[in-house]
Amino acid sequence: MAETQYQEIDTLLQKNSFYKEGFYTQTVVDKLEKGINEDVIRAISAKKNEPEWMLQWRLQAYHHWLTMKEPHWAKAEYAPLDYQDYSYYAAPQCASCATDHDATEDEDALIDPEVAKAFEALGVPLDDDAEIAVDAIFDSVSIKTTQREKLKELGIIFCSFSEAVQEYPDLVRKYLGTVVPYHDNFFAALNAAVASDGTFVYVPPGVRCPVDISTYFRINEAKTGQFERTLLIADKGSYVSYIEGCSAPIRDTYQLHAAVVEVIVHEDAEVKYSTVQNWYPGDEDCEGGILNFVTKRGLCEGRNSKLSWTQAETGSAITWKYPSCILKGDNSIGEFYSVALTNRRQQADTGTKMIHIGKNTRSTIISKGLSAGKSDNTYRGLVKIMPSAEGARNYTQCDSMLIGDKCGAHTFPYIEVENPTATVEHEATTSRIGEDQLFYFKARGIDEEDAISMMVNGFCKEVFKELPLEFAQEAEELLKISLEGSVG
Amino acid sequence: MTTSSASSVNKDLPIHRLSDTAVERLAVRVEALNRADTHTARQAVRQAAFTALQQRGFPSRKDEDWQYTPLDAVLRLQFSQHAAKTVDGAVLQQVAPPFCAARLVFIDGVFQPQLSDDLPAGVSVAPIREVDEAQLEAWQQTVGVERDPFDLLSLALLDQGITLKVDRIVETPVVLLHWATGADELISVRHRVEIASGTQLTLVEQHESMQDVSVLLNNCVIEAEVADGAHYRHLKLQRDSQQGFHMAHHFVRQQRRSDFASFYAALGGAVSRHFTHTFLLGEQANMDVNSAGLATGEQVMDTRTHTDHASAHCTSRQVHKLVVDDSARGVFDGMIHVAPGAQKTDGLMDNKNLLLGPKAKVDAKPRLEIYADDVKCSHGSATGQLDPHQLFYARARGIDKDIARLLITTAFLTEPMEGLANAAMRAWLQQALTDKLQG
Amino acid sequence: MLLEVKNLHAQVAEEDKEILKGIDLTVNPGEVHAIMGPNGSGKSTFANVLAGREDYEVTEGQITFDGEDLLEMEPEDRARAGLFLAFQYPVEIPGVSNKLFLFTAVNAVREARGLPPLAMDEFEALAAEKMKMLKMRPDMLERSVNVGFSGGEKKRNDMFQMAMLEPKLAVMDETDSGLDIDALKVVADGVNRLRDGQRSFIVVTHYQRLLDYIKPDYVHVLYNGRIVKSGGFELAQELEEKGYDDIIRQFSE
């Protein structure tokens, strides 16, 4: 591409600071003072009226966190985080009263109308008749969980994590921290200490969840960290498709998002976990964007269980995220489908870990990285075949596309095979949208924006087809907006 | 730059993970070298490298670049020296390659002119000790803790090895035979190869050892400068003792329109590691780096490459294969790095591993790091077993199961050398591989 | 009698699904038998069980080949005893030249028959003669086994191997309906050239068109793991006209 074209790209990129989810909601807020210490943790626990075991678990995690060092990847650059400069709890007042009392049917009456408006603007349906069941989380608390009664009739538990601690303490205690222990890593420890809210899903044996279940995360307050904890359990022979979405207002300082997701899949059960991540990426230099340091991991505990992660990552200033599968049950299946798009100075370091333990376990990894602007986009993944994983198979395909000559695209796979009957295949390619291709489109009367959009969608097709339909459309839209003007 | 004498080597600074005796012996060696060689720039290089090595220490598996290469056994070495053994020229003749070549012989790292052939026209050789000031300066400037510890060790013990200069097209291959007798538990050789603009060299790097050789570390570094339009062909046969440790670096700096082709056959060593680091500095340079390794018993065989596409319009091609039998471990680590502005880079890296043994293991880390958009880069890595369909096809034609296995495995290993060397060279390397396969 | 199959039952190894449910077949020297049948009837399985492919497990029955218990023999021993399988999809073996492959095979077979091994030049002369007969390009010998060969070339290469190994019984696994007319002719031509009144053939095929070129002595219809009908060449013609529908109606479970 010619020099001049890149100048055009830069100009266009500068114009394109459009983040439609970037509004802020004015509401009365119950917010803890900035800073983290044992009292803050006790205060969070007290606000949530938690049982003693939960508090102890938090404190244990906190003390362990104090002994840990913040990890730094060679490629990611950002000023050191000041953990005392964040508030670890923020809740719109009305809603916080709702969680202080037991959840009631007239929850609606208690939702702050401003918050309700915010979700409406984000297109998140809070009514019980939508095609999808929603847990709406605003800063540190869950505002509303729709369709829970309908689901309850099938024995499916779908509620906020805080409620689950109150109402299903046995289930929570049984599974919490079994897949991601509090000492797993620096951010997982921090999360366990100050876990705000999150979603709890339990699907009983033999039940196919009839609707998609989803959570929408919204960070509203400034200098607030969001530390949601999601726990999803699919009991024997069950099926659930779970979706999460996220956004945040425009800020000028980095905001920390350190979530933990644990998924447990029992014998013959299947979980599809889809994410469309659109956290605020920050300004031109990604100042003020979200730092998205997330630990997501699933355990395929039973025979023939299946866990499929699908993600479309377009937001955040920095993303570190490796949704992983521990394939413990014989014949269990792990899948990872990812589209990650970085623009401006965004940095994404994402991928997966497939740990094969059981016999004849299979995993598939399809990763599509798109880099534009001055961004860096890295695939980092581990495929590990343990000595016990007789006949295990993995297939990995990582494709990168570079849009512009100031960005970077990287592929760092780690392949460890400790069983000689395993078959592991990895392929990676790098390409770009070529001038000749663009010309071909133009010669057939298609303008450049459409041409790029078509080619990018073609590039990502294998991943988008894994997303639930309405989300696939949203992801395509997001890509279009995030890429707008990135090629001259 | 310091003008200090040998006595300033600090023995008290321990090298992380090495035994006190070994550190002591290393320090004594560096000291002795600096006492015998009063050239201040050389003293300074040795000393700076040794200090950097002391500060850096030897790696553990926590180091990203060493997580798959266990060094525990290497670090138990005492670096003792025993009485020198005499080497019979007839023994060396047995390992001579079956093609016309000029051979230079190094016994335990020491060049043996009386056992070596005459050099072909266009090739000149000088001891590495006589390397020019500019090169010493370059080393001095770049020694630091970020450098590979075995490379630092090589500079700290800068003494043995040659500078080989080529100033015309040389058809006769030059063989560097490294023969280990076990008299010295630490062999450190550093060669420089300088191929002048428009000229050509085929270098055969051969590592062999006596049958009953005891445990030792063979640390070999080759630096090659390939000038504009020059051709450098490199073949390496590594047949060190099964108890030995083989650590090798091959740094190749390529200028405009130069060609570099390399094939590495890995057979020996309890732990072996061969690292090819290529710098594609000039436009339209081509690189073709391939390898085949056969790991048996408890061997750990590590092949790694780092390809720096620092300039536009360069091509790199790689095929690396490992056959891993018994309880052995194979490691492949390859990085293609494309610098900003290195447009029209064409990089391809392929790694295939065959697991034969019941406890065979493989670790692979093929990587791409790309900062230019108009590039074509790809890598692949596949690990698996002998194809049962191929085996059955051969057996259905009456071929014995074991022979079918041998045929298919040999073909797997020899594929990377296709089109690389001439037929005689290929046959020689293939024979070495099949000898071990039939073991 | 050359081959006698009695009550042969087989399934995919480690799966509990029986594919062959009791096959009986007798082949005498010089006879050409065709085995036809709809897709999934077990034709290809039968051919592969004869050659000893380990993907299948024989659960019941006997096979006697030239007086010996075939099921006790390894695949290479079956080949040496004179049983040849022409593959539906000949396998590619990169890096192993056709010459080395076949040289090894021919001498292994010769050794088993008590013949002295061929020297390379003798082998080359023999190969040249057979290749000429099959209208093959001489450079095929230098190329890797089947690598980069077209469908027709692969078939021709298999016929060439058959000519070199001189089997007593050749089993042609030609169920592939995608075979083009040229490839069909290659197979038919190979069979006809090697038909000498002593050598026997079992031709497994879905369509009659291959049989038009080969003209088998006997035609058997395999359905649902059993031979449900046998006859002469006219049976093949009948099937071509009427298709397998009648058979399916009559014998479906």
Side-chain angles (χ1 to χ4, degrees), chain A residues 22-69:
Chain A
F23 60 84
Y24 172 66
T25 307
Q26 283 294 343
T27 170
V28 188
V29 179
D30 175 17
K31 185 170 170 182
L32 279 181
E33 285 298 304
K34 283 177 186 172
I36 181 164
N37 55 50
E38 208 173 301
D39 291 341
V40 166
I41 287 154
R42 288 181 187 279
I44 294 170
S45 191
K47 275 189 186 294
K48 292 178 173 288
N49 194 25
E50 286 176 353
E52 183 61 20
W53 60 264
M54 188 67 199
L55 173 64
Q56 287 311 320
W57 190 69
R58 284 175 183 278
L59 289 172
Q60 211 176 355
Y62 173 68
H63 290 296
H64 189 79
W65 178 72
L66 289 176
T67 68
M68 298 175 97
K69 259 172 64 184

Short mmCIF file of all heavy atoms in Angstrom, two decimals, chain A residues 22-69:
data_model
loop_
_atom_site.label_atom_id
_atom_site.label_comp_id
_atom_site.label_asym_id
_atom_site.label_seq_id
_atom_site.Cartn_x
_atom_site.Cartn_y
_atom_site.Cartn_z
N GLY A 22 -20.31 4.76 25.15
CA GLY A 22 -19.50 5.53 26.08
C GLY A 22 -20.22 6.52 26.98
O GLY A 22 -19.59 7.40 27.56
N PHE A 23 -21.52 6.42 27.12
CA PHE A 23 -22.22 7.39 27.97
C PHE A 23 -22.12 7.01 29.46
O PHE A 23 -21.80 5.88 29.81
CB PHE A 23 -23.69 7.49 27.56
CG PHE A 23 -24.43 6.19 27.65
CD1 PHE A 23 -24.97 5.78 28.86
CD2 PHE A 23 -24.57 5.36 26.53
CE1 PHE A 23 -25.64 4.57 28.96
CE2 PHE A 23 -25.23 4.15 26.63
CZ PHE A 23 -25.77 3.75 27.84
N TYR A 24 -22.41 8.00 30.30
CA TYR A 24 -22.34 7.79 31.75
C TYR A 24 -23.72 7.97 32.34
O TYR A 24 -24.50 8.83 31.92
CB TYR A 24 -21.36 8.79 32.36
CG TYR A 24 -21.33 8.80 33.87
CD1 TYR A 24 -20.86 7.68 34.57
CD2 TYR A 24 -21.76 9.90 34.59
CE1 TYR A 24 -20.83 7.67 35.96
CE2 TYR A 24 -21.74 9.91 35.97
CZ TYR A 24 -21.27 8.79 36.66
OH TYR A 24 -21.24 8.78 38.03
N THR A 25 -24.08 7.16 33.28
CA THR A 25 -25.40 7.24 33.90
C THR A 25 -25.30 7.94 35.26
O THR A 25 -24.50 7.53 36.10
CB THR A 25 -25.97 5.82 34.10
OG1 THR A 25 -25.92 5.14 32.86
CG2 THR A 25 -27.40 5.87 34.61
N GLN A 26 -26.08 9.02 35.40
CA GLN A 26 -26.12 9.75 36.67
C GLN A 26 -27.04 9.01 37.63
O GLN A 26 -28.21 8.81 37.35
CB GLN A 26 -26.64 11.17 36.45
CG GLN A 26 -25.64 12.12 35.84
CD GLN A 26 -24.46 12.40 36.75
OE1 GLN A 26 -24.53 12.16 37.95
NE2 GLN A 26 -23.37 12.90 36.19
N THR A 27 -26.54 8.62 38.73
CA THR A 27 -27.38 7.92 39.69
C THR A 27 -26.76 8.06 41.08
O THR A 27 -25.58 8.38 41.21
CB THR A 27 -27.54 6.44 39.30
OG1 THR A 27 -28.18 5.76 40.38
CG2 THR A 27 -26.21 5.78 39.01
N VAL A 28 -27.57 7.86 42.07
CA VAL A 28 -27.04 7.93 43.44
C VAL A 28 -26.30 6.64 43.71
O VAL A 28 -26.82 5.55 43.46
CB VAL A 28 -28.19 8.10 44.46
CG1 VAL A 28 -27.62 8.37 45.83
CG2 VAL A 28 -29.13 9.20 44.02
N VAL A 29 -25.09 6.77 44.19
CA VAL A 29 -24.24 5.59 44.29
C VAL A 29 -23.79 5.32 45.72
O VAL A 29 -23.44 6.22 46.46
CB VAL A 29 -22.99 5.77 43.40
CG1 VAL A 29 -22.09 4.57 43.50
CG2 VAL A 29 -23.41 6.02 41.97
N ASP A 30 -23.86 4.05 46.05
CA ASP A 30 -23.27 3.61 47.31
C ASP A 30 -21.90 3.05 46.96
O ASP A 30 -21.79 2.01 46.31
CB ASP A 30 -24.17 2.52 47.91
CG ASP A 30 -23.56 1.92 49.16
OD1 ASP A 30 -22.63 2.55 49.73
OD2 ASP A 30 -24.00 0.84 49.57
N LYS A 31 -20.86 3.78 47.32
CA LYS A 31 -19.54 3.41 46.84
C LYS A 31 -18.56 3.40 48.00
O LYS A 31 -18.56 4.31 48.83
CB LYS A 31 -19.11 4.45 45.80
CG LYS A 31 -17.82 4.18 45.09
CD LYS A 31 -17.67 5.17 43.94
CE LYS A 31 -16.31 5.13 43.33
NZ LYS A 31 -16.18 6.12 42.25
N LEU A 32 -17.73 2.38 48.05
CA LEU A 32 -16.72 2.33 49.11
C LEU A 32 -15.59 3.28 48.77
O LEU A 32 -15.29 3.55 47.62
CB LEU A 32 -16.16 0.91 49.23
CG LEU A 32 -16.97 -0.12 50.02
CD1 LEU A 32 -16.21 -1.43 50.04
CD2 LEU A 32 -17.23 0.36 51.45
N GLU A 33 -14.98 3.80 49.83
CA GLU A 33 -13.79 4.64 49.65
C GLU A 33 -12.75 3.85 48.85
O GLU A 33 -12.69 2.62 48.91
CB GLU A 33 -13.20 4.98 51.03
CG GLU A 33 -13.98 6.02 51.78
CD GLU A 33 -14.02 7.35 51.04
OE1 GLU A 33 -12.93 7.88 50.74
OE2 GLU A 33 -15.14 7.84 50.75
N LYS A 34 -11.90 4.58 48.14
CA LYS A 34 -10.82 3.94 47.40
C LYS A 34 -9.91 3.17 48.34
O LYS A 34 -9.73 3.58 49.49
CB LYS A 34 -9.99 4.99 46.68
CG LYS A 34 -10.64 5.52 45.42
CD LYS A 34 -9.75 6.59 44.85
CE LYS A 34 -10.41 7.28 43.68
NZ LYS A 34 -9.61 8.43 43.25
N GLY A 35 -9.29 2.14 47.80
CA GLY A 35 -8.29 1.44 48.59
C GLY A 35 -8.68 0.01 48.89
O GLY A 35 -9.85 -0.37 48.79
N ILE A 36 -7.66 -0.79 49.19
CA ILE A 36 -7.91 -2.18 49.53
C ILE A 36 -7.15 -2.54 50.80
O ILE A 36 -5.97 -2.21 50.96
CB ILE A 36 -7.54 -3.13 48.37
CG1 ILE A 36 -7.85 -4.59 48.76
CG2 ILE A 36 -6.10 -2.97 47.92
CD1 ILE A 36 -7.88 -5.54 47.58
N ASN A 37 -7.87 -3.11 51.76
CA ASN A 37 -7.28 -3.65 52.98
C ASN A 37 -8.29 -4.62 53.58
O ASN A 37 -9.36 -4.83 53.02
CB ASN A 37 -6.91 -2.53 53.96
CG ASN A 37 -8.11 -1.66 54.26
OD1 ASN A 37 -9.19 -2.17 54.59
ND2 ASN A 37 -7.94 -0.34 54.14
N GLU A 38 -7.95 -5.20 54.70
CA GLU A 38 -8.81 -6.22 55.26
C GLU A 38 -10.20 -5.66 55.60
O GLU A 38 -11.22 -6.33 55.43
CB GLU A 38 -8.15 -6.81 56.51
CG GLU A 38 -8.58 -8.23 56.73
CD GLU A 38 -7.83 -8.90 57.87
OE1 GLU A 38 -6.59 -8.99 57.79
OE2 GLU A 38 -8.50 -9.33 58.82
N ASP A 39 -10.23 -4.39 56.06
CA ASP A 39 -11.51 -3.78 56.41
C ASP A 39 -12.42 -3.64 55.19
O ASP A 39 -13.63 -3.85 55.26
CB ASP A 39 -11.29 -2.40 57.04
CG ASP A 39 -10.64 -2.52 58.41
OD1 ASP A 39 -10.72 -3.64 58.99
OD2 ASP A 39 -10.05 -1.53 58.88
N VAL A 40 -11.81 -3.28 54.05
CA VAL A 40 -12.60 -3.15 52.83
C VAL A 40 -13.24 -4.49 52.49
O VAL A 40 -14.42 -4.56 52.14
CB VAL A 40 -11.71 -2.64 51.67
CG1 VAL A 40 -12.40 -2.82 50.32
CG2 VAL A 40 -11.33 -1.18 51.90
N ILE A 41 -12.46 -5.54 52.64
CA ILE A 41 -12.99 -6.87 52.30
C ILE A 41 -14.12 -7.25 53.25
O ILE A 41 -15.18 -7.75 52.83
CB ILE A 41 -11.85 -7.90 52.30
CG1 ILE A 41 -11.01 -7.63 51.05
CG2 ILE A 41 -12.37 -9.33 52.29
CD1 ILE A 41 -9.60 -8.06 51.14
N ARG A 42 -13.91 -6.98 54.52
CA ARG A 42 -14.99 -7.24 55.49
C ARG A 42 -16.23 -6.39 55.16
O ARG A 42 -17.35 -6.87 55.27
CB ARG A 42 -14.52 -6.92 56.92
CG ARG A 42 -13.51 -7.94 57.43
CD ARG A 42 -13.07 -7.62 58.86
NE ARG A 42 -12.00 -8.51 59.28
CZ ARG A 42 -12.21 -9.76 59.73
NH1 ARG A 42 -13.44 -10.23 59.83
NH2 ARG A 42 -11.19 -10.52 60.05
N ALA A 43 -15.99 -5.16 54.73
CA ALA A 43 -17.12 -4.27 54.40
C ALA A 43 -17.90 -4.80 53.20
O ALA A 43 -19.13 -4.82 53.21
CB ALA A 43 -16.60 -2.85 54.14
N ILE A 44 -17.16 -5.25 52.17
CA ILE A 44 -17.84 -5.81 50.98
C ILE A 44 -18.70 -6.99 51.41
O ILE A 44 -19.88 -7.10 51.07
CB ILE A 44 -16.82 -6.25 49.91
CG1 ILE A 44 -16.07 -5.03 49.36
CG2 ILE A 44 -17.51 -7.02 48.79
CD1 ILE A 44 -14.88 -5.39 48.46
N SER A 45 -18.08 -7.86 52.19
CA SER A 45 -18.78 -9.07 52.63
C SER A 45 -20.02 -8.72 53.45
O SER A 45 -21.07 -9.34 53.31
CB SER A 45 -17.81 -9.95 53.41
OG SER A 45 -18.36 -11.22 53.63
N ALA A 46 -19.85 -7.70 54.31
CA ALA A 46 -20.96 -7.28 55.17
C ALA A 46 -22.09 -6.69 54.34
O ALA A 46 -23.27 -6.99 54.55
CB ALA A 46 -20.48 -6.27 56.21
N LYS A 47 -21.74 -5.85 53.35
CA LYS A 47 -22.76 -5.25 52.48
C LYS A 47 -23.57 -6.32 51.79
O LYS A 47 -24.74 -6.15 51.50
CB LYS A 47 -22.10 -4.36 51.43
CG LYS A 47 -21.83 -2.95 51.92
CD LYS A 47 -21.39 -2.05 50.78
CE LYS A 47 -20.99 -0.68 51.31
NZ LYS A 47 -22.14 0.04 51.87
N LYS A 48 -22.92 -7.41 51.49
CA LYS A 48 -23.61 -8.50 50.80
C LYS A 48 -24.19 -9.50 51.79
O LYS A 48 -24.73 -10.53 51.38
CB LYS A 48 -22.63 -9.20 49.85
CG LYS A 48 -22.22 -8.32 48.68
CD LYS A 48 -21.21 -9.02 47.80
CE LYS A 48 -20.92 -8.22 46.54
NZ LYS A 48 -22.04 -8.23 45.59
N ASN A 49 -24.03 -9.19 53.05
CA ASN A 49 -24.63 -10.03 54.08
C ASN A 49 -24.18 -11.49 53.97
O ASN A 49 -24.98 -12.43 54.02
CB ASN A 49 -26.16 -9.90 54.00
CG ASN A 49 -26.83 -10.46 55.24
OD1 ASN A 49 -26.20 -10.51 56.32
ND2 ASN A 49 -28.06 -10.90 55.10
N GLU A 50 -22.89 -11.68 53.71
CA GLU A 50 -22.40 -13.01 53.39
C GLU A 50 -22.18 -13.87 54.63
O GLU A 50 -21.85 -13.35 55.70
CB GLU A 50 -21.07 -12.89 52.63
CG GLU A 50 -21.26 -12.45 51.20
CD GLU A 50 -19.94 -12.23 50.46
OE1 GLU A 50 -18.88 -12.30 51.12
OE2 GLU A 50 -19.99 -11.99 49.26
N PRO A 51 -22.30 -15.18 54.45
CA PRO A 51 -21.99 -16.07 55.58
C PRO A 51 -20.48 -16.05 55.88
O PRO A 51 -19.67 -15.64 55.05
CB PRO A 51 -22.42 -17.45 55.06
CG PRO A 51 -22.48 -17.32 53.58
CD PRO A 51 -22.78 -15.89 53.28
N GLU A 52 -20.14 -16.53 57.03
CA GLU A 52 -18.77 -16.49 57.52
C GLU A 52 -17.79 -17.19 56.57
O GLU A 52 -16.71 -16.69 56.30
CB GLU A 52 -18.73 -17.13 58.93
CG GLU A 52 -17.37 -17.10 59.61
CD GLU A 52 -16.82 -15.69 59.86
OE1 GLU A 52 -17.62 -14.71 59.86
OE2 GLU A 52 -15.59 -15.56 60.04
N TRP A 53 -18.19 -18.36 56.02
CA TRP A 53 -17.25 -19.10 55.17
C TRP A 53 -16.83 -18.30 53.96
O TRP A 53 -15.71 -18.35 53.49
CB TRP A 53 -17.83 -20.46 54.76
CG TRP A 53 -19.14 -20.42 53.97
CD1 TRP A 53 -20.38 -20.56 54.49
CD2 TRP A 53 -19.31 -20.23 52.56
NE1 TRP A 53 -21.33 -20.47 53.50
CE2 TRP A 53 -20.71 -20.28 52.30
CE3 TRP A 53 -18.43 -20.03 51.49
CZ2 TRP A 53 -21.25 -20.12 51.03
CZ3 TRP A 53 -18.98 -19.87 50.22
CH2 TRP A 53 -20.36 -19.92 49.99
N MET A 54 -17.76 -17.50 53.45
CA MET A 54 -17.45 -16.68 52.27
C MET A 54 -16.44 -15.59 52.66
O MET A 54 -15.48 -15.33 51.92
CB MET A 54 -18.75 -16.08 51.73
CG MET A 54 -18.61 -15.37 50.40
SD MET A 54 -18.21 -16.47 49.01
CE MET A 54 -17.58 -15.26 47.85
N LEU A 55 -16.67 -14.99 53.81
CA LEU A 55 -15.73 -13.96 54.27
C LEU A 55 -14.33 -14.56 54.46
O LEU A 55 -13.33 -13.97 54.06
CB LEU A 55 -16.23 -13.33 55.58
CG LEU A 55 -15.25 -12.36 56.24
CD1 LEU A 55 -15.01 -11.12 55.36
CD2 LEU A 55 -15.75 -11.93 57.63
N GLN A 56 -14.31 -15.73 55.08
CA GLN A 56 -13.02 -16.37 55.33
C GLN A 56 -12.28 -16.66 54.02
O GLN A 56 -11.07 -16.50 53.91
CB GLN A 56 -13.20 -17.67 56.14
CG GLN A 56 -13.56 -17.42 57.61
CD GLN A 56 -12.64 -16.38 58.27
OE1 GLN A 56 -11.43 -16.34 58.05
NE2 GLN A 56 -13.24 -15.50 59.09
N TRP A 57 -13.07 -17.11 53.04
CA TRP A 57 -12.48 -17.43 51.73
C TRP A 57 -11.87 -16.17 51.12
O TRP A 57 -10.77 -16.17 50.59
CB TRP A 57 -13.57 -18.01 50.83
CG TRP A 57 -13.05 -18.59 49.55
CD1 TRP A 57 -12.30 -19.71 49.39
CD2 TRP A 57 -13.24 -18.05 48.24
NE1 TRP A 57 -12.03 -19.92 48.07
CE2 TRP A 57 -12.59 -18.92 47.33
CE3 TRP A 57 -13.91 -16.93 47.72
CZ2 TRP A 57 -12.59 -18.70 45.96
CZ3 TRP A 57 -13.91 -16.73 46.35
CH2 TRP A 57 -13.25 -17.60 45.48
N ARG A 58 -12.61 -15.06 51.23
CA ARG A 58 -12.12 -13.77 50.72
C ARG A 58 -10.82 -13.36 51.41
O ARG A 58 -9.86 -12.94 50.77
CB ARG A 58 -13.16 -12.67 50.97
CG ARG A 58 -14.36 -12.69 50.04
CD ARG A 58 -15.35 -11.62 50.47
NE ARG A 58 -16.57 -11.60 49.68
CZ ARG A 58 -16.69 -11.00 48.50
NH1 ARG A 58 -15.67 -10.36 47.98
NH2 ARG A 58 -17.83 -11.04 47.84
N LEU A 59 -10.82 -13.51 52.74
CA LEU A 59 -9.65 -13.06 53.50
C LEU A 59 -8.42 -13.91 53.18
O LEU A 59 -7.31 -13.40 53.01
CB LEU A 59 -9.95 -13.11 55.00
CG LEU A 59 -10.94 -12.02 55.46
CD1 LEU A 59 -11.34 -12.24 56.91
CD2 LEU A 59 -10.34 -10.62 55.28
N GLN A 60 -8.67 -15.20 53.05
CA GLN A 60 -7.59 -16.12 52.68
C GLN A 60 -6.97 -15.69 51.35
O GLN A 60 -5.75 -15.62 51.19
CB GLN A 60 -8.22 -17.50 52.53
CG GLN A 60 -7.31 -18.64 52.88
CD GLN A 60 -8.08 -19.97 52.79
OE1 GLN A 60 -9.29 -20.00 52.55
NE2 GLN A 60 -7.37 -21.04 52.99
N ALA A 61 -7.86 -15.39 50.39
CA ALA A 61 -7.42 -14.96 49.08
C ALA A 61 -6.64 -13.64 49.17
O ALA A 61 -5.59 -13.47 48.56
CB ALA A 61 -8.62 -14.80 48.16
N TYR A 62 -7.17 -12.74 49.97
CA TYR A 62 -6.52 -11.43 50.11
C TYR A 62 -5.11 -11.58 50.66
O TYR A 62 -4.15 -11.00 50.12
CB TYR A 62 -7.35 -10.54 51.03
CG TYR A 62 -6.65 -9.23 51.36
CD1 TYR A 62 -6.45 -8.26 50.37
CD2 TYR A 62 -6.18 -8.98 52.65
CE1 TYR A 62 -5.79 -7.08 50.65
CE2 TYR A 62 -5.52 -7.79 52.94
CZ TYR A 62 -5.33 -6.84 51.95
OH TYR A 62 -4.66 -5.68 52.22
N HIS A 63 -4.98 -12.39 51.70
CA HIS A 63 -3.65 -12.56 52.29
C HIS A 63 -2.68 -13.23 51.32
O HIS A 63 -1.50 -12.90 51.28
CB HIS A 63 -3.74 -13.31 53.63
CG HIS A 63 -4.38 -12.48 54.70
ND1 HIS A 63 -3.82 -11.31 55.17
CD2 HIS A 63 -5.56 -12.60 55.35
CE1 HIS A 63 -4.62 -10.76 56.06
NE2 HIS A 63 -5.69 -11.53 56.19
N HIS A 64 -3.23 -14.13 50.53
CA HIS A 64 -2.37 -14.76 49.53
C HIS A 64 -1.97 -13.74 48.45
O HIS A 64 -0.82 -13.70 48.02
CB HIS A 64 -3.07 -15.96 48.90
CG HIS A 64 -2.14 -16.76 48.04
ND1 HIS A 64 -1.24 -17.67 48.55
CD2 HIS A 64 -1.93 -16.75 46.70
CE1 HIS A 64 -0.53 -18.19 47.58
NE2 HIS A 64 -0.93 -17.64 46.44
N TRP A 65 -2.93 -12.92 48.06
CA TRP A 65 -2.68 -11.91 47.02
C TRP A 65 -1.54 -10.98 47.42
O TRP A 65 -0.71 -10.60 46.59
CB TRP A 65 -3.97 -11.11 46.78
CG TRP A 65 -3.83 -10.01 45.77
CD1 TRP A 65 -3.70 -10.14 44.43
CD2 TRP A 65 -3.81 -8.60 46.03
NE1 TRP A 65 -3.61 -8.91 43.82
CE2 TRP A 65 -3.67 -7.94 44.79
CE3 TRP A 65 -3.91 -7.82 47.18
CZ2 TRP A 65 -3.62 -6.55 44.67
CZ3 TRP A 65 -3.87 -6.43 47.07
CH2 TRP A 65 -3.72 -5.81 45.83
N LEU A 66 -1.51 -10.64 48.73
CA LEU A 66 -0.46 -9.74 49.22
C LEU A 66 0.93 -10.31 48.98
O LEU A 66 1.90 -9.58 48.83
CB LEU A 66 -0.65 -9.47 50.72
CG LEU A 66 -1.85 -8.59 51.09
CD1 LEU A 66 -1.98 -8.50 52.60
CD2 LEU A 66 -1.71 -7.20 50.48
N THR A 67 1.02 -11.65 48.91
CA THR A 67 2.34 -12.28 48.73
C THR A 67 2.72 -12.40 47.26
O THR A 67 3.82 -12.83 46.94
CB THR A 67 2.36 -13.70 49.33
OG1 THR A 67 1.49 -14.53 48.52
CG2 THR A 67 1.88 -13.72 50.77
N MET A 68 1.78 -12.05 46.37
CA MET A 68 2.03 -12.30 44.94
C MET A 68 2.52 -11.04 44.22
O MET A 68 2.29 -9.93 44.69
CB MET A 68 0.76 -12.80 44.26
CG MET A 68 0.27 -14.12 44.82
SD MET A 68 -1.31 -14.61 44.09
CE MET A 68 -0.73 -15.71 42.81
N LYS A 69 3.18 -11.30 43.07
CA LYS A 69 3.66 -10.17 42.28
C LYS A 69 2.80 -10.01 41.04
O LYS A 69 2.41 -10.99 40.42
CB LYS A 69 5.11 -10.42 41.86
CG LYS A 69 6.11 -9.65 42.73
CD LYS A 69 7.54 -10.03 42.44
CE LYS A 69 8.01 -9.70 41.03
NZ LYS A 69 9.40 -10.19 40.81
#
